[in-house]
Each structure stands twice: as structure tokens, then as C-alpha cells.
Amino acid sequence: MMKRFTAALIATILALTSQVLAATDNHTRFPALQTETGKLTIYSTTDLAAMKPLIDDFQRTAPGISIDYIEYLTNELHALASEACRKDEPLGDLLLSSSVDQLLKLANDGCAASHTSPETLRVADWANWRDEVFGFTYEPAVFVYNTRKVPPAEVPRTHVELADLLRERLDYYRGHVGTYDIRLSGIGYLLAFNDARQTNTVFGRLLESMARASAVARCCTGEILEEVASGRLYIGYNMLGSYAYDAARRHPDLRVVVPRDYTLVLSRGALIPKSAERSDLGAQFLDYLLSERGQSIARSNAFYFSETGGLPPDVDGPQNLKESGIAQPIRIGPGLLAVQDWAQRQRFIEDWSRSLIELNSPEWTRE
């Protein structure tokens, strides 16, 4: 009896350990709905919760395909993909990343396979680089705030208004504004770099105001959104609209603002690695993402915003981003190579660090 109990206990411990390791590795397997005919491996920086509706629906169109979905932070995935390319080793059949500048650099370094199909013809010119990197979402960078902490009269609706609010109400907002740590976050760096391109004067002013307000830095959108929803932070800056809107649907105190002076728009990118073992399956899933069916599922269940449609319900902003003239899409093209230029990147991060960290209070949070 004791031996059977011990064996059962060991089996339970091993099972639990396996589950913990799987969670730690951020590896999720989606078994085929029918007899497996192929396995697709996706390396991604997109949260599983956002991609799951798309994966589930794709498998309904391809019931013999199983999918391994592996999540990384943007900088981690870029480092892995670069190393795999250098060694000419496989790393998945499709890469998905919000840091499209990093995907563009991979393509420019010869790490991507070209793909054309009727579905790729649907992609806007600004979201297609040489038929190697494709944008498949339309996501504005937004402000988020907690209605219990930010009075209606103080809700900022432009970058200048946010800078002025932090100056005028410094004591109240000190330590309660969150943004990306661009040293850790690829998407944070991409958005900050493009902020500076819009207008150095406004960006510098906002950076100084955030430094004085002891802004809190985080690696990831989800962490900031949860802290704003809980009231630990009052305002989140430059959050991805899809994640922000999803959080607002779950947290009644959270609100989303599309800034009215200009709104950076990101298109999450997809790339088929040149060394992919099942590039055909990578292309099949990519075509699904770009298809009208995939885009419809994305608008309803995952990413919510679109280039031609109106804003989702309860989002504070112009009814149609494109028609309003404030949308500034981050073009997937040669301009993004400057974003990844090593020397320029280091200078920008050093300047940002001096402005936002070295001039900040000792309570700066480096998480």
C-alpha cells in the first residue's frame, strides 16, 4: 500500500512539475481536431488570450493541423530568431511580433521567406515589406486611466494635455503613471522612437513631465494595465489599443483614450522564417490571418480596431481614425531599419534613460 501511495505521489509531483515547466516555457499546444496531418509551430510576442480565438477558428478550417504556440517578450524573440538565422537553424514556421522593426531587420538580414497569395494582395502598402513582413492588425497607441483616480475634468486627450496635467498636479500623480521601460521592451522602444519623430518638442516636454512625476516603468502592456485597473497606477501611456480595450471590457473602472493630436498606429507583424520546417503551414496560417474571415474574428474577439471601421464602443476618440486625419501608421518599410540601427538605438535609449531615470526620484521602479 505504501509503495503504491509513494508511486502515486511521485507521479503527481512529476505531473505538476511538468505543468509548471510548460507554463514557465510559455508553450501551449493545440491538438488537431481530427487525425493530425501536420504540426505548425508559431513563435510569438502576442498574448495567447488574444490569439486563441484565431487559432481555434483556423483549426476549424484546417482540422488536421496541430499548433504549438510559444510566447516570448519582443527582445527575447528577436535575439532567438537572429541566432537561429545566423546558424541556419529552424525556429518555428511563423514569427508574430508587435515589434515590426525587429521583424524588418530579420528580413533585411536575409532571415525571411517571401510569400505571395491572393490574401497578401489585401494588405495595405504601408503594412507589407517585400512580401516578407506583413502587418495583420491595426492597433492605435492609447492612453488608459482609472475613473476612480482621474476626475473627468483632468482626463488628457492629447500628448500636451498629459504633459501639462503631470506638471500641474505633480504631487497627486507622482508615482502613479506607467509606461514601458524601453530598455526591456521592443514595442516600448518602437513607440517612443516614433513619438520623437512626430515632434521632438512635445516628446521632450512629456518625457520631462513623466520624469518629474516619477513615472513607473514596466516591461509589458499587461502589467501596466492591471496596475491601472487596480488603482495602483492612475494613467498608462502608449498602451497597445487591443490590449487596453480588452482590459477595459473586463475592468469597469478602466477607460481608453485615443489621443487627438496624433495617434501612432501599429500593425502587428508576421514573418515566415527562411529555415522553417513547415513554411507551407506558416503560409497557410498567415493567409488565414489576412483573410476576411480571419480579420472578422480579430475585430470581434482579439484586436478590436480596424483601419476602415469606427472605434469600438466606449473608446474616447474620433469615430473613425483614418478619416479624422490623426492616425499615423508606423510604416513597415526602410524607415524602420533606422529604428534598429545599433548606434542610433543606443543613443536614443541613453538619452531616454538620462531624461526619465537619472533625473527621476530614487523610487524609480526598474521592473
Side-chain angles (χ1 to χ4, degrees), residues 347 349-360:
R347 284 196 301 273
I349 291 176
E350 287 170 5
D351 289 344
W352 178 90
S353 299
R354 275 196 300 272
S355 299
L356 198 58
I357 296 178
E358 293 176 15
L359 299 179
N360 209 331

Side-chain angles (χ1 to χ4, degrees), residues 128-206:
N128 179 351
W129 169 245
R130 300 189 317 200
D131 294 324
E132 294 177 345
V133 179
F134 299 92
F136 66 93
T137 66
Y138 189 84
E139 300 181 67
V142 301
F143 306 160
V144 296
Y145 69 95
N146 188 307
T147 57
R148 291 184 289 109
K149 301 297 183 178
V150 181
E154 295 184 4
V155 175
R157 292 184 171 86
T158 69
H159 295 79
V160 171
E161 286 181 6
L162 177 57
D164 289 345
L165 175 66
L166 300 184
R167 285 170 177 261
E168 295 165 5
R169 294 271 279 150
L170 181 61
D171 289 341
Y172 180 73
Y173 286 102
R174 181 178 282 118
H176 297 299
V177 178
T179 190
Y180 294 105
D181 186 335
I182 72 170
R183 300 166 302 174
L184 304 176
S185 168
I187 182 59
Y189 169 72
L190 176 61
L191 292 173
F193 190 92
N194 279 275
D195 265 337
R197 276 180 168 176
Q198 295 298 314
T199 164
N200 278 324
T201 303
V202 173
F203 180 69
R205 184 176 177 181
L206 179 56

Side-chain angles (χ1 to χ4, degrees), residues 28 39 59 94 200 204:
T28 304
K39 183 178 76 171
Q59 287 189 307
L94 188 67
N200 278 324

Side-chain angles (χ1 to χ4, degrees), residues 250-329:
R250 293 182 286 107
H251 300 286
D253 295 324
L254 202 63
R255 293 289 186 276
V256 176
V257 174
V258 173
R260 285 164 171 75
D261 47 350
Y262 71 87
T263 300
L264 296 177
V265 178
L266 170 83
S267 187
R268 203 174 293 265
L271 174 152
I272 302 170
K274 70 172 184 180
S275 57
E277 295 180 332
R278 293 301 307 267
S279 58
D280 59 325
L281 296 184
Q284 186 176 346
F285 189 78
L286 173 57
D287 282 345
Y288 166 78
L289 292 178
L290 300 176
S291 70
E292 181 53 45
R293 175 169 176 159
Q295 290 290 298
S296 177
I297 295 293
R299 286 192 298 269
S300 301
N301 300 279
F303 299 109
Y304 308 110
F305 296 84
S306 67
E307 184 171 10
T308 56
L311 293 181
D314 300 322
V315 172
D316 185 341
Q319 182 53 37
N320 187 292
L321 268 176
K322 187 175 182 179
E323 292 177 1
S324 71
I326 65 172
Q328 298 294 323

Side-chain angles (χ1 to χ4, degrees), residues 35-84:
T35 301
E36 182 177 307
T37 58
K39 183 178 76 171
L40 166 66
T41 304
I42 301 173
Y43 279 76
S44 177
T45 68
T46 302
D47 288 353
L48 177 62
M51 286 301 300
K52 188 177 183 302
L54 289 159
I55 291 173
D56 289 342
D57 188 60
F58 170 77
Q59 287 189 307
R60 284 191 281 272
T61 71
I65 306 302
S66 66
I67 297 177
D68 283 350
Y69 190 80
I70 301 124
E71 296 177 72
Y72 284 95
L73 296 178
T74 50
N75 288 349
E76 293 173 343
L77 179 56
H78 179 62
L80 284 172
S82 297
E83 183 69 5

